[in-house]
Amino acid sequence: MNLVTVLPIVIPLVTAIVSLFAWRSLRVQRWISLAGAAGLLGSAVALLVAVRAGGIQATQIGDWPAPYGITFVADHLTATMVLLAGIIGMAVVPYSCASVDREQEEAAYHPLLHVLLMGVCGAFLTGDLFNLYVWFEVMLISSFVLMGLGGRRPQLEGALKYVALNLIASFIFLVSVGLLYAAVGTLNMADLATRVPDLDRGIATSLAMSFLVAFGVKAAVFPLFFWLPASYHTQPAAVAAIFAGLLTKVGVYAMFRVFTLVFVLRDVGATQTLLLVLSMLTMVTGVLGAVAQNELRRLLSFHIISQIGYMVVALALFTPLSIAAGVFFVAHNTLAKSTLFLVSGVVERRRGTYDLDRLGGTYRESPWLALLFALPALALAGIPPLSGFVAKLEIVQAGLEADAYIAVATALAVSLLTLFSMSKIWNAVFWQPPPASEPPPRRPPAGERWLMECPTAVMAAFTVVVGLAAGPLFGWTQAAADELLGPFGPSGYVERVLGEQR
Amino acid sequence: MNLILPFVVGALVAAGLYMMMRRSSIKLLIGFALLSHGANLLVFSAGGLVRGGAPLIEQGESLPPAAHADPLPQALVLTAMVISFGVLAFAIALVLRTYRETKTDDVDKMTTTER
Amino acid sequence: MKSLILQTATRYLFPLLVLYSVFLLVRGHHEPGGGFIGGLMAAAPIALCALAYDVDVARNLLPLRPIRLLALGLATAAGVSIGALFMGRPLLTGSWVELPMPGGGVLDLGTPLLFDLGIYLVVLGVVTQIIFSLATKSPLHWERDES
């Protein structure tokens, strides 16, 4: 029995239910939602403390012993991801109170947001592949509804594309799970880790490839990313921030988990090489797409894809150092990316547009806002001492150690292009004078400014803090990498899950 | 039965994918329905087919009867069916709403998100 | 569409279908059946009424708005599963009591039945919500509660 491993799921669930009961009062719903987000953040911190103190935590749901029941497991990687989900949730809830259309917010926005957070945390915590599928679906269904809520033409069209592509990915995931069960006879990840090595190499490789496709769509890896820039930018900034920060990272997390625990990447044929090539292509196409865009959020959406490439390259290098760097990069990117989307929402509230040609002069109007943009933007490009610098430095170092010089060169070149496209936003939104035809900017009321800019500022501050405290934080991600890929492999995880009833 | 099922799964998936690749959004829905049936059937057959052997342990025994059906794939299929039911219901509502908003069911004409 | 045959048949089928849905719910205790299929079966007569009469008639047949049924069901199911935590056991662990029955038998009553009841309400709520919103002008537009 281990309370901390289930609280990150129970708290959002209870929040969603209670706020459904407060259906008629938006005010009450907002307070419940805020309390729920704070609770989630608290439980994430508690989980982290427990993992730091006592190693991997596991609990058997329904008291059914593993591998027959569903196990919830938390190691360093899980705890980090849950903490990120908690931070994003805490930032987005107050932000959305001020920025989401009232009509949309009344249409079950807050319950759905917490169901989404529950799905995300469930996917991070579960130790069972089929259960992972279920959490993916929980997350997807709530994200579908959140996307469709706006009900205007671009949102509906974006939602339709998002739904169609993700349904195909879910189908591939489900089929892979079924075939894996037929081949091995278990779906508990720890149990799989002990049994997959005995599997025929050909079967193992083809199964690993089909999981790669399924997670590749969710994580928006080249060439499976088309749904992302077609749908993310149609959302209200708050929703886009949570999608950009968390949803694709769940796909990345699933890759990290499955390819270190179930199919050890270097053992399944050409998958590692394929992943390495795909990750480089992801970086390049993402950033080239971004450079070509002229709409603020579409540009940022393409950047998500490019950054996913860095995380996947870290996984594909498959050394303890690169995995640690990858986990660090995921953390840095989740924070920086969400912040950028939050800033884009603040800009839109003032100007009423996301079109780069129609924006301008924001620096003169609000230097403070310019700073909030500059911090995560420079962090994304990898300028010291911000968080992205350390993340990229470690990935480059891991690449050099693994003699993957092409990957290192690609990563560095893409960094340069990232800086270029960020400076494009900077020029267009902050420095250039606004076109004369544009109406004067709206001055948002003080309450709205507080609700929107405080969470954004805290998130922006994180990019500095993560950069400055990189030493201890990197030690922590190294602990995560050791659990995944340490000298004893995943045996700690396996023992913790299966050992209890032995 | 063990020989027929793969063909049925293959036919369902092929038909589903064909429908999904048409331009009409209604056909997308039909395709998705067929596709999820195919996936469910595949997971169902993953445990191997056993006729008439319920995986119940008789009183006084410690093991289920020798030829028993594997209950886990059936539980998985039930869950997957519930999920695909929910997703399909939502997708129908979404397609209907999109149709009323855009006055077309041709996916190729839904291009406002590409600009 | 107003068909006298369908309307008359609905009047007779309605109680039967509701009863059958309850039967399925309780049967799920030990045999095939349960909350999900029971809830679907409970939504069937509502859908039938929406077809035979109109959506408003069907809406008034429900004791609560769909969204409230959904909330109530979720609360029941979640309450049962979280309740296990307070008894010091993992999430979703079932608890059972054995009640001796007047005929000499023993009735096993467990929290899974309560959990199923929650699922029954959730499914009923979701399905009727979907039916009503598909029947109205703008699906996906959640109806605001006016009750």
Side-chain angles (χ1 to χ4, degrees):
Chain A
M1 222 295 279
N2 210 328
L3 198 60
V4 281
T5 47
V6 291
L7 274 185
I9 293 163
V10 170
I11 290 175
L13 176 64
V14 172
T15 313
I17 294 171
V18 175
S19 56
L20 265 184
F21 274 109
W23 181 245
R24 259 185 285 177
S25 166
L26 187 58
R27 207 182 161 73
V28 178
Q29 269 195 15
R30 283 175 171 173
W31 282 109
I32 295 168
S33 182
L34 198 63
L40 178 62
L41 186 58
S43 70
V45 173
L47 181 67
L48 193 71
V49 171
V51 170
R52 278 309 262 179
I56 299 174
Q57 306 285 314
T59 185
Q60 316 288 349
I61 299 298
D63 228 356
W64 300 102
Y68 305 106
I70 293 167
T71 315
F72 275 20
V73 197
D75 57 3
H76 273 83
L77 175 60
T78 300
T80 314
M81 300 304 287
V82 171
L83 181 66
L84 289 172
I87 291 173
I88 305 272
M90 195 63 218
V92 164
V93 168
Y95 186 92
S96 45
C97 289
S99 69
V100 177
D101 288 347
R102 201 181 164 81
E103 194 190 347
Q104 199 171 345
E105 205 185 345
E106 280 175 339
Y109 174 83
H110 289 286
L112 281 169
L113 192 66
H114 284 276
V115 174
L116 181 73
L117 286 173
M118 173 177 81
V120 169
C121 291
F124 292 149
L125 280 163
T126 187
D128 181 282
L129 262 185
F130 187 79
N131 198 231
L132 181 65
Y133 167 77
V134 174
W135 289 120
F136 261 111
E137 294 300 304
V138 169
M139 187 179 91
L140 280 178
I141 293 178
S142 46
S143 69
F144 292 166
V145 184
L146 273 179
M147 275 199 159
L149 274 184
R152 279 185 297 276
R153 183 167 178 166
Q155 287 163 350
L156 289 169
E157 288 182 2
L160 194 62
K161 288 167 189 170
Y162 177 78
V163 168
L165 265 293
N166 275 290
L167 287 185
I168 294 178
S170 299
F171 162 76
I172 297 171
F173 189 7
L174 181 59
V175 166
S176 323
V177 167
L179 292 175
L180 183 63
Y181 183 77
V184 188
T186 181
L187 288 174
N188 182 298
M189 288 198 238
D191 204 20
L192 281 170
T194 61
R195 294 211 213 167
V196 167
D198 302 330
L199 200 62
D200 177 67
R201 283 301 87 190
I203 295 179
T205 306
S206 48
L207 281 173
M209 292 276 186
S210 55
F211 276 107
L212 175 65
V213 174
F215 297 144
V217 178
K218 311 271 182 198
V221 170
F222 177 90
L224 310 163
F225 61 78
F226 297 104
W227 54 273
L228 195 150
S231 58
Y232 272 22
H233 69 103
T234 61
Q235 302 310 308
V239 178
I242 205 163
F243 281 16
L246 284 178
L247 290 200
T248 45
K249 307 301 183 298
V250 180
V252 173
Y253 164 83
M255 279 194 192
F256 270 73
R257 181 64 79 202
V258 166
F259 288 129
T260 55
L261 186 60
V262 180
F263 303 101
V264 180
L265 196 54
R266 68 175 93 80
D267 294 345
V268 278
T271 316
Q272 188 177 2
T273 323
L274 180 70
L275 204 57
L276 197 62
V277 174
L278 286 185
S279 65
M280 287 191 275
L281 287 171
T282 311
M283 284 193 267
V284 174
T285 43
V287 84
L288 289 182
V291 170
Q293 295 304 316
N294 223 4
E295 205 259 16
L296 182 51
R297 283 182 307 173
R298 266 179 80 82
L299 205 161
L300 293 176
S301 297
F302 269 102
H303 265 297
I304 301 175
I305 299 165
S306 163
Q307 308 288 322
I308 292 290
Y310 283 93
M311 300 166 208
V312 179
V313 89
L315 175 64
L317 291 172
F318 214 66
T319 62
L321 178 64
S322 80
I323 297 282
V327 177
F328 194 90
F329 197 95
V330 169
H332 135 74
N333 186 254
T334 306
L335 297 169
K337 201 83 229 176
S338 302
T339 318
L340 284 176
F341 272 92
L342 294 179
V343 173
S344 79
V346 178
V347 171
E348 196 268 349
R349 291 297 279 192
R350 287 162 180 267
R351 297 286 176 165
T353 179
Y354 287 105
D355 192 344
L356 289 187
D357 292 335
R358 291 174 53 198
L359 286 163
T362 313
Y363 180 77
R364 172 164 302 191
E365 185 193 319
S366 169
W368 161 243
L369 193 58
L371 178 71
L372 289 189
F373 172 80
L375 284 176
L378 293 176
L380 220 53
I383 305 293
L386 299 163
S387 57
F389 171 68
V390 188
K392 285 188 178 170
L393 181 72
E394 294 301 333
I395 288 180
V396 166
Q397 195 182 344
L400 291 178
E401 277 180 18
D403 294 334
Y405 298 112
I406 303 178
V408 169
T410 318
L412 291 176
V414 168
S415 255
L416 212 59
L417 284 172
T418 309
L419 187 60
F420 168 72
S421 63
M422 284 300 156
S423 55
K424 176 176 167 178
I425 300 183
W426 175 260
N427 277 336
V429 178
F430 294 96
W431 266 2
Q432 82 181 4
S437 58
E438 285 301 307
R442 168 176 166 271
R443 295 295 304 176
E448 183 188 309
R449 283 195 58 185
W450 275 102
L451 278 176
M452 289 176 75
E453 286 172 25
C454 279
T456 315
V458 173
M459 294 284 287
F462 267 120
T463 58
V464 184
V465 173
V466 171
L468 292 180
L473 291 180
F474 196 71
W476 164 7
T477 59
Q478 260 171 337
D482 280 345
E483 282 166 355
L484 297 176
L485 211 64
F488 309 110
S491 60
Y493 185 99
V494 175
E495 254 166 45
R496 193 71 191 85
V497 174
L498 297 179
E500 280 192 339
Q501 82 280 356
R502 277 196 185 145
Chain B
M1 271 305 268
N2 265 329
L3 262 180
I4 301 172
L5 272 184
F7 286 102
V8 178
V9 171
L12 280 171
V13 171
L17 285 178
Y18 175 72
M19 288 304 262
M20 283 188 112
M21 282 185 276
R22 307 285 293 272
R23 278 159 60 182
S24 158
S25 54
I26 304 292
K27 288 177 180 143
L28 182 82
L29 288 179
I30 300 173
F32 170 65
L34 291 175
L35 208 59
S36 58
H37 291 323
N40 291 343
L41 206 55
L42 187 141
V43 176
F44 175 72
S45 60
L49 292 180
V50 176
R51 209 181 160 85
L56 297 174
I57 302 170
E58 297 295 326
Q59 237 159 24
E61 302 275 319
S62 61
L63 289 171
H68 67 272
D70 188 348
L72 190 74
Q74 307 194 6
L76 301 187
V77 168
L78 273 178
T79 316
M81 275 191 313
V82 172
I83 290 174
S84 62
F85 162 77
V87 174
L88 188 62
F90 169 78
I92 291 174
L94 180 69
V95 164
L96 189 62
R97 182 92 192 267
T98 315
Y99 173 71
R100 282 180 182 155
E101 195 73 29
T102 59
K103 301 279 182 287
T104 174
D105 72 337
D106 187 345
V107 181
D108 278 0
K109 294 206 176 103
M110 299 181 185
T111 52
T112 50
T113 61
E114 304 302 326
R115 284 192 293 266
Chain C
M1 185 184 66
K2 289 279 171 283
S3 151
L4 189 62
I5 300 174
L6 189 60
Q7 289 185 349
T8 317
T10 305
R11 212 165 294 164
Y12 288 104
L13 278 174
F14 192 88
L16 281 179
L17 285 170
V18 173
L19 261 183
Y20 186 55
S21 81
V22 177
F23 164 72
L24 279 177
L25 167 70
V26 181
R27 185 182 143 94
H29 207 45
H30 276 312
E31 280 172 81
F36 180 73
I37 187 71
L40 277 183
M41 195 48 78
I46 307 286
L48 198 59
C49 272
L51 283 177
Y53 298 93
D54 64 35
V55 179
D56 288 329
V57 175
R59 208 178 299 232
N60 288 331
L61 281 170
L62 283 177
L64 292 168
R65 298 285 128 198
I67 194 84
R68 301 233 165 227
L69 283 176
L70 174 72
L72 200 65
L74 267 180
T76 315
V80 170
S81 28
I82 296 168
L85 287 179
F86 291 106
M87 299 170 70
R89 285 191 279 168
L91 199 67
L92 279 165
T93 312
S95 323
W96 298 80
V97 284
E98 294 186 355
L99 295 177
M101 292 304 282
V106 174
L107 180 67
D108 288 341
L109 266 189
T111 49
L113 182 63
L114 262 180
F115 185 83
D116 258 357
L117 183 68
I119 302 297
Y120 181 92
L121 292 175
V122 170
V123 173
L124 179 61
V126 169
V127 174
T128 48
Q129 171 73 51
I130 290 168
I131 292 170
F132 294 158
S133 67
L134 283 180
T136 50
K137 273 275 176 258
S138 58
L140 281 192
H141 213 92
W142 295 60
E143 44 181 328
R144 290 284 291 152
D145 204 334
E146 63 278 5
S147 59

